[in-house]
Amino acid sequence: MTAAENVCYTLINVTSDSEPPSEVSLKTDLEKGEIKAKTEALKKVIIMILNGEKLPGLLMTIIRFVLPLQDHTIKKLLLVFWEIVPKTTPDGKLLQEMILVCDAYRKDLQHPNEFIRGSTLRFLCKLKESELLEPLMPAIRACLEHRHSYVRRNAVLAIYTIYRNFEHLIPDAPELIHDFLVNEKDASCKRNAFMMLIHADQDRALDYLSTCIDQVHTFGDILQLVIVELIYKVCHANPSERARFIRCIYNLLQSSSPAVKYEAAGTLVTLSSAPTAIKAAAQCYIDLIIKESDNNVKLIVLDRLIELKEHPTHERVLQDLVMDILRVLSTPDLEVRKKTLQLALDLVSSRNVEELVIVLKKEVIKTNNVTEHEDTDKYRQLLVRTLHSCSVRFPDMAANVIPVLMEFLSDTNEAAAADVLEFVREAIQRFDNLRPLVIEKMLEVFHSIKTVKIYRGALWILGEYCSTKDDIQSVMTEIRRSLGEIPIVENEIKKETGEVKQDDEVSAAPAQKLVTEMGTYVTQSALSSSRPSKKEEDRPPLRGFLMDGDFYVAASLATTLTKVALRYVAIVQDKKKQNSFVAESMLIMVTVLHLGKSSLPKKPITDDDVDRISLCLKVLSECSPLMNDIFNKECRKSLSHMLTVRLEEEKLSQKKESEKRNVTVQADDPISFMQLTAKNETSSKEDQFQLSLLAAMGNTQRKEAADPLASKLNKVTQLTGFSDPVYAEAYVHVNQYDIVLDVLVVNQTNDTLQNCTLELATLGDLKLVEKPSPLTLAPHDFANIKANVKVASTENGIIFGNIVYDVSGAASDRNCVVLSDIHIDIMDYIQPASCTDAEFRQMWAEFEWENKVTVNTNITDLNDYLQHILRSTNMKCLTPEKALSGFCGFMAANLYARSIFGEDALANVSIEKPIHLGPDAPVNGHIRIRAKSQGMALSLGDKINLSQKKTNI
């Protein structure tokens, strides 16, 4: 193990701008200075030794003038000094001076002050020289009986470390610690002693646990955690022991400590797959989520519940706990709510869907008119989508859901209202029995709709599905009410000139009640508003949209009027009534056209909208059967087709998910009997405690692919040439938020290289965590140096640097070998993700950084090129497969991905095949990338540019 790989116990900040002091001045301060001067001098000595200086002349000075001092600060610093100072001669023998140090620490182990005793015992855990430890063993044993728990628990740690490293010094350690554990009362001492027995002598640990298994629930949480770990390890290695300890784990689910409950639930799931065990563990997880205030904890535990759901047999158990899971919605955090709703939706069944819908309806009503939290609107949107999904899967629920959701069409939050509208459109198309209810509710809320997009959608639904005479007349009444008095132009001019009394308008407005922060009511008179704003407020909704210049809604209105007029003509036989209704419809269209051409609106009507209204007027004047079919039948057919395609896609994705989760067992697969399995085979199953420890240390071992190219060797970067005096190569291991560089350094000379240091610098959003320690390399020797680099955002980064060293015996300056640059690939942080079309468009409009990449490739097929880009960039294609199938010489697709830092990346691929250049002509076109940050957009563009120039697939 190299020096850089040793566990670093003591981190000391080094000020880079200060001048290094001379050895003479340090010696003077250590010999003759006051306590404060000696303390500062000792600190400087420690920093210099950490930086690679040897300072052998100061060792005896420190032993003579500093070691005898009783000052606590100096004693603490001395512990650090003795930890890092070289204690052996070059040939490996212990320095003579260390005997004096050893004697001093023997005295400290008998010191009356418990802090000095305890900190000395902690220091002994770090010593690697058995000759130094041997004389101290009687004193260490005596510390086990000290009156203070701080000394006793550190004595246990010291004995454990010494037993692990030098068993011959204390061969009876397990027996000694077992006896100590039986009589000990302090929780931290018991925890350390039990931990030692787990690792040193598991049988003794089990014997102790067996004697006190009924009292486990009374122990402190730190000891309970260690007991959970022991039970897990024992049952993992020897499954026959499960029955003996499973009751203990059940008891620990009731622990007062959240950490113990979490670990016990995780252990219980691995030990037993019985429904009662899974239910108990899931219930424990749900309680933790509700009671813990930290959102990160909530998300972690939710992930555990989601993992449980992935198992087919566990899913049935969790279905009974859906209502308990919904209690988590009381958390204000949006991400927690999102995961909870998704989990509940995955688990919902015909047995509990009614209760789920009731809870969700209550949650939706709670969010109404609540604006104290910025995520309320997004949460409402989530609830609407969840209810939508429930109604699609369980059509019987739609009748209960629709009346509640229709209230939100008048909501100012357009996103939530748009989701409600989409749901209503699908419900009214699929469920014929709900049409009268939907039409009735739609007519009720129609006048209060505030946003033009929702108004357009509502108009379309009313025009498409009103089929009775009364409904059609109600729609016309609502349109007239929403449009105000016609002709519009004349009415607006009269208002401007004052012919219409303003007082009437003012009195029409109701007084408004406001609530102050104190909770008291304040009444505000409508008369206080200024006259121009009053005029705008009093305008009916549709007229307001038209006066703002939004004439797209006028085109939608014309289509709706045409549909209902044609249907009215087919239903009502009275010619006079037919002509009256059609004439009224045409009058509305004409007055809207007139308004559009006048100077009253803020923006004039567009030519497209004029054409649409004119076409509708022509259709109504002619009333041909062909047009009747197109307006009243073909429109509905296209909607039905779109919904069918979407449903098929959803079913296909659900089928793929279920196929993933269903474990297929072949007929000739061997059956594994736990009782007949050899011990070494059971250990092949991954140890969860070991995995979590590795994950915390950033050493997660990914399963390498069978392909040799995907192995570690593929990630090795050569840093220097083979003819350089020092050869170096690095294995770049990318964890989630940091990069570990494992650099192999080889001395290719016949000289000893001293203070061989790897100096690194970074470009981009990377940050070097710590400076690698200097090494001494013998002739033709090699060593590994590890360096950690933190990553802050998703963009390409470069790590560069050099290796500097001194040649032993040479008088020249330091030598330097410059290293090749290491390029960090953005693809390690990008993961495919999905979003709705509406979210994609919204992000596309919001993101300010765009990078346009010209397609320059030798791939000749459009679909092949798209697949190649998806593989190269880790992005997901949002455009449905059916839309991309077939060949027309042109392709447009939307791609989306999200980084592990939560950054979104959007791309639009517009490519074509130039047919006139022949079948072998390469694809051309553009890829537009949009992202919130400049680095993301540029890095993704560079990646596409590099990858598309590869050879044919």
Side-chain angles (χ1 to χ4, degrees):
M1 187 184 277
T2 62
E5 283 179 310
N6 277 322
V7 178
C8 182
Y9 295 98
T10 314
L11 286 174
I12 296 174
N13 181 38
V14 184
T15 50
S16 53
D17 54 346
S18 58
E19 280 290 318
S22 67
E23 194 171 332
V24 177
S25 64
L26 286 172
K27 199 168 186 177
T28 309
D29 283 346
L30 291 168
E31 284 180 12
K32 299 173 183 173
E34 297 292 321
I35 292 287
K36 196 172 181 182
K38 287 186 177 183
T39 305
E40 289 304 314
L42 193 52
K43 283 181 183 177
K44 287 173 186 172
V45 171
I46 290 167
I47 289 169
M48 288 172 75
I49 291 174
L50 282 172
N51 283 341
E53 301 288 339
K54 298 295 180 209
L55 307 178
L58 292 178
L59 187 62
M60 205 59 212
T61 307
I62 288 171
I63 290 171
R64 284 175 60 203
F65 297 102
V66 183
L67 194 58
L69 296 174
Q70 293 301 311
D71 182 75
H72 284 199
T73 308
I74 284 185
K75 282 197 173 290
K76 274 173 73 178
L77 287 171
L78 278 171
L79 293 176
V80 178
F81 174 76
W82 295 121
E83 183 188 337
I84 61 170
V85 77
K87 303 173 191 65
T88 55
T89 56
D91 56 358
K93 289 184 179 175
L94 195 71
L95 291 170
Q96 295 296 321
E97 294 90 338
M98 285 296 132
I99 297 166
L100 299 169
V101 178
C102 185
D103 187 57
Y105 281 116
R106 191 176 54 76
K107 288 175 183 171
D108 280 348
L109 287 173
Q110 295 163 350
H111 200 282
N113 183 294
E114 62 272 3
F115 170 74
I116 290 174
R117 275 205 193 196
S119 52
T120 308
L121 284 162
R122 283 182 75 85
F123 159 71
L124 295 180
C125 294
K126 304 168 193 178
L127 279 187
K128 296 289 182 284
E129 289 78 23
S130 59
E131 299 95 321
L132 281 176
L133 291 166
E134 196 168 358
L136 303 176
M137 291 317 297
I140 295 171
R141 282 172 178 264
C143 287
L144 281 176
E145 294 165 13
H146 194 269
R147 59 184 173 76
H148 205 284
S149 62
Y150 178 70
V151 177
R152 296 200 302 276
R153 71 166 173 263
N154 282 312
V156 172
L157 280 179
I159 288 171
Y160 172 42
T161 314
I162 294 165
Y163 177 75
R164 191 177 58 194
N165 295 332
F166 313 105
E167 192 177 332
H168 64 278
L169 292 181
I170 183 163
D172 61 335
E175 189 182 342
L176 181 71
I177 295 299
H178 182 267
D179 295 342
F180 167 80
L181 183 59
V182 170
N183 300 316
E184 182 56 56
K185 296 287 182 284
D186 181 73
S188 60
C189 297
K190 286 171 86 169
R191 182 253 178 209
N192 284 2
F194 195 72
M195 179 63 90
M196 178 193 159
L197 287 181
I198 288 176
H199 294 285
D201 191 343
Q202 211 172 77
D203 291 338
R204 285 184 192 274
L206 285 173
D207 289 344
Y208 172 73
L209 182 58
S210 300
T211 59
C212 60
I213 199 158
D214 294 329
Q215 287 90 44
V216 165
H217 62 280
T218 62
F219 293 166
D221 56 346
I222 52 174
L223 184 54
Q224 286 179 340
L225 279 171
V226 183
I227 288 170
V228 171
E229 184 180 345
L230 172 69
I231 292 173
Y232 178 85
K233 283 178 182 293
V234 169
C235 297
H236 190 73
N238 188 4
S240 59
E241 295 281 358
R242 288 180 184 184
R244 182 177 166 195
F245 294 113
I246 204 155
R247 176 53 50 197
C248 179
I249 292 291
Y250 267 111
N251 291 339
L252 288 175
L253 289 178
Q254 312 305 321
S255 171
S256 57
S257 162
V260 174
K261 287 169 81 168
Y262 175 76
E263 292 295 349
T267 303
L268 184 59
V269 169
T270 57
L271 296 187
S272 172
S273 55
T276 47
I278 302 303
K279 190 171 183 178
Q283 196 72 59
C284 181
Y285 281 146
I286 293 165
D287 290 344
L288 279 175
I289 299 168
I290 292 163
K291 289 174 184 171
E292 275 301 307
S293 56
D294 189 337
N295 286 331
N296 292 321
V297 174
K298 289 178 188 283
L299 288 168
I300 289 166
V301 182
L302 259 174
D303 284 339
R304 280 302 182 95
L305 272 176
I306 292 164
E307 279 175 31
L308 273 183
K309 180 209 72 178
E310 296 302 322
H311 200 287
T313 54
H314 298 171
E315 189 176 4
R316 294 191 197 99
V317 178
L318 287 175
Q319 281 176 353
D320 297 334
L321 297 172
V322 167
M323 300 315 293
D324 291 323
I325 290 169
L326 286 176
R327 286 161 57 205
V328 180
L329 292 177
S330 57
T331 306
D333 184 69
L334 186 68
E335 194 62 33
V336 174
R337 285 170 159 178
K338 193 174 181 179
K339 279 195 173 186
T340 306
L341 285 172
Q342 187 56 53
L343 178 62
L345 193 58
D346 289 343
L347 293 172
V348 73
S349 65
S350 53
R351 286 177 297 153
N352 51 26
V353 66
E354 203 168 329
E355 294 170 326
L356 174 75
V357 166
I358 290 167
V359 172
L360 294 181
K361 277 164 63 179
K362 283 179 183 172
E363 286 294 317
V364 169
I365 292 162
K366 273 187 210 170
T367 63
N368 198 13
N369 300 323
V370 177
T371 51
E372 72 267 8
H373 201 279
E374 58 181 10
D375 286 334
T376 304
D377 291 341
K378 289 179 183 174
Y379 177 46
R380 189 180 306 153
Q381 217 175 326
L382 279 175
L383 289 167
V384 169
R385 285 181 188 173
T386 310
L387 283 167
H388 181 174
S389 302
C390 280
S391 302
V392 171
R393 280 172 58 187
F394 305 97
D396 297 346
M397 291 296 111
N400 296 335
V401 173
I402 286 170
V404 178
L405 292 187
M406 294 282 272
E407 300 293 332
F408 290 97
L409 287 175
S410 57
D411 198 31
T412 48
N413 175 23
E414 189 179 288
D419 280 339
V420 172
L421 199 67
E422 193 178 321
F423 167 46
V424 169
R425 185 185 68 183
E426 191 169 344
I428 202 169
Q429 170 64 23
R430 281 196 181 160
F431 314 127
D432 294 348
N433 58 323
L434 293 178
R435 283 181 190 173
L437 172 70
V438 174
I439 296 292
E440 184 192 335
K441 292 296 291 182
M442 185 71 82
L443 287 167
E444 278 178 27
V445 298
F446 188 71
H447 191 71
S448 57
I449 294 174
K450 297 181 180 67
T451 54
V452 66
K453 185 180 173 186
I454 307 307
Y455 199 92
R456 273 201 322 265
L459 265 178
W460 187 90
I461 288 172
L462 287 172
E464 189 63 46
Y465 294 101
C466 283
S467 51
T468 66
K469 178 186 168 185
D470 292 343
D471 283 347
I472 291 170
Q473 284 178 336
S474 299
V475 170
M476 180 58 89
T477 307
E478 284 298 330
I479 289 172
R480 286 296 301 266
R481 182 183 169 200
S482 191
L483 203 55
E485 194 177 326
I486 55 174
I488 301 172
V489 176
E490 285 180 25
N491 187 254
E492 286 295 322
I493 290 170
K494 280 180 184 176
K495 282 186 183 177
E496 289 296 327
T497 54
E499 288 179 37
V500 178
K501 287 183 182 177
Q502 294 290 338
D503 292 343
D504 298 342
E505 296 175 20
V506 171
S507 61
Q512 187 182 7
K513 271 192 175 180
L514 299 174
V515 183
T516 64
E517 289 178 358
M518 307 275 293
T520 55
Y521 286 96
V522 175
T523 304
Q524 179 185 357
S525 170
L527 291 163
S528 62
S529 304
S530 62
R531 215 166 248 188
S533 64
K534 193 66 221 149
K535 261 197 261 179
E536 287 177 17
E537 275 178 33
D538 276 355
R539 280 190 188 131
L542 185 51
R543 182 177 289 199
F545 300 144
L546 296 174
M547 292 300 287
D548 287 339
D550 195 331
F551 282 95
Y552 185 35
V553 73
S556 181
L557 173 67
T559 309
T560 301
L561 286 170
T562 307
K563 284 179 184 175
V564 293
L566 290 172
R567 210 170 290 136
Y568 190 84
V569 168
I571 294 168
V572 178
Q573 302 304 318
D574 189 340
K575 278 281 179 188
K576 192 178 178 184
K577 285 183 179 177
Q578 285 180 5
N579 291 340
S580 171
F581 193 91
V582 171
E584 190 176 2
S585 302
M586 293 172 83
L587 174 63
I588 290 171
M589 293 184 215
V590 170
T591 190
V592 169
L593 266 178
H594 186 200
L595 176 67
K597 295 290 185 184
S598 72
S599 59
L600 289 174
K602 291 178 183 175
K603 288 184 281 185
I605 192 168
T606 62
D607 292 342
D608 285 345
D609 295 331
V610 170
D611 289 348
R612 184 69 175 172
I613 297 171
S614 305
L615 172 71
C616 291
L617 283 167
K618 192 164 190 258
V619 168
L620 282 182
S621 62
E622 293 175 359
C623 286
S624 69
L626 174 65
M627 286 297 155
N628 198 348
D629 274 359
I630 290 171
F631 272 85
N632 279 332
K633 290 180 183 172
E634 296 300 324
C635 288
R636 199 174 297 186
K637 271 186 192 171
S638 58
L639 171 66
S640 177
H641 181 63
M642 186 195 81
L643 292 175
T644 308
V645 169
R646 190 184 293 175
L647 193 64
E648 281 175 10
E649 281 174 14
E650 282 176 14
K651 281 181 179 173
L652 195 66
S653 64
Q654 281 175 6
K655 191 179 176 187
K656 283 180 182 173
E657 283 295 316
S658 62
E659 280 174 3
K660 271 185 201 172
R661 278 158 48 190
N662 287 341
V663 183
T664 52
V665 181
Q666 299 300 326
D668 57 348
D669 278 358
I671 300 171
S672 174
F673 293 98
M674 197 64 81
Q675 288 82 354
L676 305 177
T677 311
K679 280 192 179 180
N680 57 351
E681 285 177 30
T682 54
S683 61
S684 64
K685 218 176 154 195
E686 290 168 325
D687 185 337
Q688 295 301 320
F689 279 90
Q690 197 62 29
L691 284 178
S692 59
L693 181 62
L694 287 171
M697 291 165 64
N699 295 335
T700 45
Q701 298 294 317
R702 296 180 184 172
K703 289 186 174 76
E704 301 291 354
D707 179 10
L709 291 174
S711 70
K712 275 189 173 186
L713 294 175
N714 200 33
K715 293 187 177 180
V716 171
T717 308
Q718 189 176 333
L719 301 179
T720 64
F722 291 116
S723 57
D724 283 316
V726 177
Y727 171 75
E729 63 182 29
Y731 166 61
V732 183
H733 181 78
V734 179
N735 289 322
Q736 197 163 12
Y737 297 108
D738 63 342
I739 298 161
V740 180
L741 295 180
D742 192 348
V743 184
L744 172 70
V745 181
V746 183
N747 178 5
Q748 300 199 107
T749 65
N750 293 321
D751 302 313
T752 299
L753 307 183
Q754 293 181 331
N755 294 333
C756 183
T757 309
L758 176 68
E759 294 182 345
L760 296 172
T762 57
L763 196 67
D765 222 340
L766 304 173
K767 185 183 175 187
L768 193 67
V769 177
E770 56 184 328
K771 186 177 164 186
S773 306
L775 300 171
T776 300
L777 288 175
H780 302 289
D781 191 11
F782 65 89
N784 282 68
I785 302 174
K786 284 194 176 175
N788 280 341
V789 179
K790 284 284 172 199
V791 187
S793 72
T794 314
E795 59 179 86
N796 287 336
I798 299 173
I799 302 171
F800 56 94
N802 47 45
I803 291 175
V804 291
Y805 60 90
D806 296 327
V807 178
S808 180
S812 61
D813 291 336
R814 299 200 83 182
N815 298 282
C816 176
V817 178
V818 179
L819 306 176
S820 299
D821 296 346
I822 301 171
H823 292 265
I824 302 303
D825 194 354
I826 186 178
M827 288 308 103
D828 289 315
Y829 311 114
I830 290 183
Q831 297 163 342
S834 57
C835 66
T836 63
D837 289 347
E839 287 168 342
F840 185 91
R841 285 193 209 100
Q842 189 181 351
M843 286 189 282
W844 189 268
E846 286 174 2
F847 290 174
E848 52 195 22
W849 292 102
E850 180 173 305
N851 188 3
K852 191 173 182 181
V853 179
T854 305
V855 173
N856 178 14
T857 184
N858 47 9
I859 299 171
T860 56
D861 184 78
L862 295 173
N863 206 40
D864 285 354
Y865 180 75
L866 178 65
Q867 295 305 321
H868 177 61
I869 290 297
L870 292 175
R871 277 196 300 274
S872 307
T873 58
N874 275 1
M875 298 188 90
K876 182 177 180 179
C877 182
L878 298 180
T879 310
E881 211 170 306
K882 287 195 174 180
L884 299 173
S885 58
F887 180 77
C888 64
F890 174 80
M891 180 185 280
N894 290 337
L895 315 182
Y896 177 61
R898 185 177 284 143
S899 77
I900 57 172
F901 305 102
E903 298 166 303
D904 299 294
L906 315 174
N908 174 259
V909 179
S910 296
I911 48 178
E912 64 176 341
K913 170 91 172 170
I915 300 169
H916 62 282
L917 296 177
D920 294 331
V923 170
N924 62 29
H926 290 92
I927 299 172
R928 290 165 70 200
I929 300 156
R930 284 205 183 180
K932 213 167 195 175
S933 63
Q934 184 187 20
M936 182 84 154
L938 291 175
S939 301
L940 206 51
D942 292 345
K943 180 67 185 174
I944 290 173
N945 263 329
L946 284 170
S947 60
Q948 68 176 350
K949 290 173 186 172
K950 287 184 180 176
T951 54
N952 265 322
I953 303 170

